[in-house]
Amino acid sequence: MKEFDTIAAVATGIGESGISIIRVSGERALSIVSSIFTGRNGRKLDDIKTYTMRYGHIIEKNSDNIIDEVIVSYMKGPKSFTAEDTVEINCHGGVIATKRVLEEVIKAGSRIAEPGEFTKRAFLNGRIDLSQAEAVIDIIRAKTDLSMKSALMQAEGRISREIGSIRHRILGVIAHIEATVDFPEDDLEEATSDKITVDLRSIIAELNKLLETANEGKIIREGLGVVIVGKPNVGKSSLLNALVMENRAIVTEIPGTTRDVIEEYINIEGIPLKIIDTAGIRETEDIVEKIGVERSRQKINEADLIMLVLDLSRELDNEDLEILDYIKDKKYIILLNKADLDLRLKLDVMKGLDKDNVIEISALKGRGIDELKEKIKNMFFRGQITSSDIMITNSRHKEALLRASEKCEAALRTLEEGLSIDFASIDARGAWADLGEITGETLEEDLLDKIFSEFCIGK
Ligand code: GDP
């Protein structure tokens, strides 16, 4: 069976490094590695104890050529990451040593693992559920302490337990309805309807509480999408520099279809901001002086937060006014830049806008930047996040929660309209299944494959 043959992959990053680890998992992991291993005095690995290591060499099969000097560790299933017998070969780092050792492991009878296959096995073998498996990749990708903390909590099964408990309550509702339907007496049906109305309301409240965390959760995981807009020369690049200078985390270049969009990650007290650098886009355009309100609109619509930069040393023109009008129903901060110069901008045009969200800054002199950061923080974390709160960070989980909540609402309506209670049971079953998708208890195979294919090799 392909699913549970013995797999192998390099688990560490590729490149020059002190050591590399080649991970081997499956029923034959130990015998495969043992067949290419020679320890002191010719010892093999047959008698190695679980959770111990042995020093030796990897030897080319069918010759006595030494491939590399290694330390091998052994974790007997089910007490391993995959819940299968796992052997890890610590060899020298660097591309050649690593590749040669892996080749020998493959020649000796294992297969190259697919991306995420080790974690997938941990899931298929029942050691972790799907939300825990997904947390593994979040830990690897975490860009801030906060996202790391949140992913770790998910990995420990906090979300699974919460979802499990809500599912259990929904099951209670279903069971109650079914018991009543089996004894169709009018007064019983009414009593049941009253009881499960209360239950459903409280279940919906719990689901919504989790959903409320999703917005902040998404920000913690993916970063807050911030777009800086404004006409040329108002100081957008200067603002970006002022923000990035203090705390640059990661700069990624994402190749777009027609041009390169630069995303800068900065970190404000644990909130990762993914700043879309529109200045970079503009430079590659011919129509430099045209701000292109249309193009800004698209970026504005995709962003979680808009920072509109205006030059307070000039009067506003129609273009500025048009953008102001466009953003007034969105989450925005208006930055009146060049506060070190004389004010010429007429503030009365801001009448329809939220004054609290207007900040005077000088990007050049670094004035008002702290206030801006404080503002961003407050806008997105009104409540204090404590490390013990469960947070929904995964959009797949969020969608499943939304569907479950909608179905519970539908069940509630059925009861309120006095329809037969077994209609409510259909929706309740649906909600129960939706929640099961989060933990992987009810999930299609191809979706599983898709989730694990996002992992890196060796994990
Ligand atoms: P962008 O085209 O919007 O990216 O604007 P830039 O950041 O390139 O800035 C345009 C010009 O305005 C540059 O000469 C900056 O030095 C200047 N500038 C930016 N911020 C300030 C500021 O706060 N005060 C003053 N006096 N000049 C600024």
Side-chain angles (χ1 to χ4, degrees), residues 230-241 279 282 309 311 337-341 361-366:
K231 288 191 306 185
N233 279 322
V234 292
K236 297 185 296 298
S237 313
S238 310
L239 169 66
L240 185 61
N241 284 343
R282 203 191 56 229
V309 185
D311 179 347
N337 189 32
K338 310 200 184 179
D340 52 305
L341 302 179
I361 61 162
S362 168
L364 199 65
K365 305 259 148 84

Side-chain angles (χ1 to χ4, degrees), residues 30 44-50 52-54 72-74:
L30 193 63
K44 292 287 181 186
L45 296 169
D46 335 347
D47 60 337
I48 189 172
K49 289 201 180 70
T50 183
T52 62
M53 296 179 137
R54 187 164 290 176
V72 168
S73 61
Y74 174 51

